[in-house]
Amino acid sequence: DAGVTQSPTHLIKTRGQQVTLRCSPKSGHDTVSWYQQALGQGPQFIFQYYEEEERQRGNFPDRFSGHQFPNYSSELNVNALLLGDSALYLCASSKAGVSYNEQFFGPGTRLTVL
Amino acid sequence: AQSVTQLGSHVSVSEGALVLLRCNYSSSVPPYLFWYVQYPNQGLQLLLKYTSAATLVKGINGFEAEFKKSETSFHLTKPSAHMSDAAEYFCAVSYNTNAGKSTFGDGTTLTVKP
């Protein structure tokens, strides 16, 4: 079991550009959540996808969007990048319908915006 | 609204000493509480979770936490620190069984001295 995988590991972009991050959930999981972890802070919930739809969303602007594919993998897109978007982006997967379901986190994608 | 406060961004203990990492939460409804550990360049790993059953929760690697409603606390402890415990620890709260939308504290970095 490969666990949750994310790509790329690191990414450098300039202000105004667009970026796409990818996540493959743990085998058997159907729900994907995305978090932003700024330096020195805890992860902040961006949104969650289940059945290819955004189910819940945190306090992030519309520049942040996502997608979930039929194989449960997911993408996070960020448009019009700002310096403040520099962070570690974490993907977590879980199984819907399981109470108190544990999330499994990927290693993250480190995004640097110059 | 829910929030988490982790007291002490850095904690240093000697190997073999007691580990105590503090977490206080704010939640308008009965909370579900989690402790995660993050090693450098890795994702978060669940240590333990409180889901309204026993107030003393045992987790992996010898860690445990006690839910105290009167103090709105969920402190993490380990009787004897090991060098391998050096990492960053996050407390998180969720207001429902969907752990995917959790609110995290800012983390506590644990250093273990030989």
Side-chain angles (χ1 to χ4, degrees):
Chain A
D1 184 1
V4 179
T5 60
Q6 292 186 243
S7 64
T9 305
H10 295 86
L11 205 53
I12 299 175
K13 293 286 188 178
T14 57
R15 281 178 296 173
Q17 286 189 310
Q18 178 265 346
V19 69
T20 297
L21 311 181
R22 295 176 175 81
C23 171
S24 291
K26 180 180 169 63
S27 178
H29 286 185
D30 53 14
T31 302
V32 173
S33 300
W34 286 92
Y35 290 84
Q36 180 194 66
Q37 185 178 14
L39 199 62
Q41 296 183 21
Q44 283 195 296
F45 176 76
I46 302 175
F47 43 52
Q48 183 180 74
Y49 275 83
Y50 170 65
E51 291 187 328
E52 302 180 47
E53 289 188 12
E54 182 182 297
R55 299 293 179 167
Q56 298 194 73
R57 189 178 184 92
N59 189 26
F60 278 80
D62 292 344
R63 298 187 297 109
F64 289 77
S65 63
H67 189 76
Q68 185 179 35
F69 299 93
N71 67 352
Y72 309 120
S73 66
S74 177
E75 288 181 350
L76 164 65
N77 301 293
V78 187
N79 294 322
L81 284 167
L82 304 174
L83 295 179
D85 295 332
S86 295
L88 180 69
Y89 288 85
L90 295 166
C91 168
S93 73
S94 56
K95 176 68 176 172
V98 177
S99 293
Y100 320 117
N101 49 326
E102 177 180 350
Q103 293 186 97
F104 287 79
F105 283 82
T109 293
R110 174 76 60 185
L111 173 65
T112 302
V113 182
L114 302 177
Chain B
Q2 58 199 29
S3 65
V4 174
T5 301
Q6 291 186 239
L7 299 174
S9 58
H10 290 84
V11 170
S12 181
V13 301
S14 297
E15 191 173 20
L18 170 72
V19 175
L20 171 61
L21 305 182
R22 300 178 186 273
C23 172
N24 287 88
Y25 69 90
S26 169
S27 177
S28 57
V29 296
Y32 302 105
L33 295 157
F34 309 85
W35 273 101
Y36 292 87
V37 61
Q38 186 177 33
Y39 296 100
N41 300 317
Q42 295 187 28
L44 280 70
Q45 179 184 11
L46 182 68
L47 281 175
L48 47 81
K49 59 186 177 185
Y50 167 75
T51 58
S52 76
T55 57
L56 182 62
V57 181
K58 294 187 182 300
I60 62 171
N61 301 339
F63 284 94
E64 62 182 39
E66 185 172 8
F67 173 70
K68 292 187 176 181
K69 184 178 179 180
S70 61
E71 299 177 8
T72 61
S73 69
F74 190 57
H75 301 332
L76 181 71
T77 61
K78 182 174 180 176
S80 177
H82 191 273
M83 296 296 291
S84 62
D85 294 327
E88 188 150 22
Y89 292 80
F90 292 94
C91 181
V93 62
S94 174
Y95 63 87
N96 58 31
T97 61
N98 181 357
K101 190 182 179 184
S102 295
T103 299
F104 285 79
D106 285 338
T108 297
T109 300
L110 176 66
T111 301
V112 182
K113 299 175 293 185

